[in-house]
């Protein structure tokens, strides 16, 4: 049986590798329905492992990635649920700037998928306002470019 430190390393290993694997699947141009299911499961499993060893930032990031997966798969209600959870984690843990802006992005993207463009615009605007707190120019540019892909 692994000791506590070993278990933490195991959880961290799987959290990181599943997160990266989920991105590989998100970027895959010829994704199959089987890949879609793998993407859902890998994103959730990554978050599970972060919940064992990570802090608020890692858990927020996992919720955000799950929201992105569901939005990509046009599963708007699930995308919205996880986007709202990401925002809640930001608000409960004083995460602002880049993280909170991307929580707004996730919610905007989910609303776009469920065809509520007025709510999508509202959250795009919240993301843009939050982007003013981002000090790294490349991070701000990345967010603003990502927002353009929503509606």
């Amino acid at each position: 049986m692994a000791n506590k430190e070993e278990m933490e390393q195991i959880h961290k290993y799987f959290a990181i590798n599943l997160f990266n694997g989920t991105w590989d699947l998100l970027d895959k141009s010829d994704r199959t329905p089987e890949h879609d299911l793998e993407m859902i499961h890998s994103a959730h499993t990554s978050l599970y492992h972060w919940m064992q060893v990570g802090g608020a930032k890692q858990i927020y990031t996992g919720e955000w990635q799950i929201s992105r997966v569901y939005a990509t798969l046009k599963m708007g209600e699930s995308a919205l649920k996880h986007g709202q959870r990401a925002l809640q984690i930001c608000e409960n843990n004083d995460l602002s700037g880049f993280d909170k802006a991307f929580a707004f992005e996730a919610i905007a993207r989910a609303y776009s998928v469920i065809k509520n463009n007025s709510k999508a615009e509202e959250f795009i605007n919240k993301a843009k306002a939050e982007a003013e707190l981002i000090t790294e120019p490349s991070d701000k540019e990345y967010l603003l470019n990502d927002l353009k892909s929503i509606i």
Side-chain angles (χ1 to χ4, degrees):
M1 170 79 57
N3 65 35
K4 183 177 187 232
E5 185 177 301
E6 291 168 332
M7 286 303 299
E8 287 175 357
Q9 289 304 312
I10 290 167
H11 282 299
K12 187 174 180 181
Y13 171 85
F14 281 111
I16 292 168
N17 284 285
L18 288 160
F19 181 89
N20 291 336
T22 301
W23 272 119
D24 291 342
L25 290 165
L26 277 165
D27 291 338
K28 191 171 181 60
S29 60
D30 58 344
R31 209 173 44 245
T32 66
E34 290 77 21
H35 290 132
D36 291 346
L37 287 173
E38 180 183 346
M39 188 169 59
I40 291 168
H41 295 311
S42 66
H44 278 279
T45 306
S46 174
L47 174 57
Y48 167 80
H49 286 289
W50 276 127
M51 291 171 75
Q52 307 312 304
V53 295
K57 185 168 175 68
Q58 291 82 16
I59 295 168
Y60 145 78
T61 303
E63 290 286 359
W64 174 85
Q65 187 183 55
I66 291 169
S67 179
R68 177 54 78 81
V69 164
Y70 283 127
T72 299
L73 297 176
K74 306 297 184 212
M75 300 171 74
E77 293 297 329
S78 293
L80 183 59
K81 177 180 179 174
H82 290 280
Q84 289 170 331
R85 178 74 179 126
L87 179 59
Q88 179 184 32
I89 292 166
C90 286
E91 290 174 342
N92 290 346
N93 293 280
D94 297 320
L95 297 176
S96 61
F98 185 85
D99 297 320
K100 192 170 183 180
F102 265 99
F104 289 136
E105 172 274 337
I107 295 169
R109 193 172 298 280
Y111 276 125
S112 179
V113 169
I114 59 177
K115 307 292 188 223
N116 187 336
N117 287 342
S118 64
K119 289 296 273 186
E121 284 289 341
E122 174 187 336
F123 281 90
I124 287 170
N125 291 332
K126 288 181 180 191
K128 287 178 180 177
E130 189 69 20
E132 294 305 312
L133 301 177
I134 300 173
T135 56
E136 177 60 44
S138 63
D139 287 347
K140 186 174 184 175
E141 181 180 356
Y142 181 76
L143 168 74
L144 294 175
N145 284 335
D146 204 36
L147 292 173
K148 292 176 186 174
S149 69
I150 294 177
I151 295 180

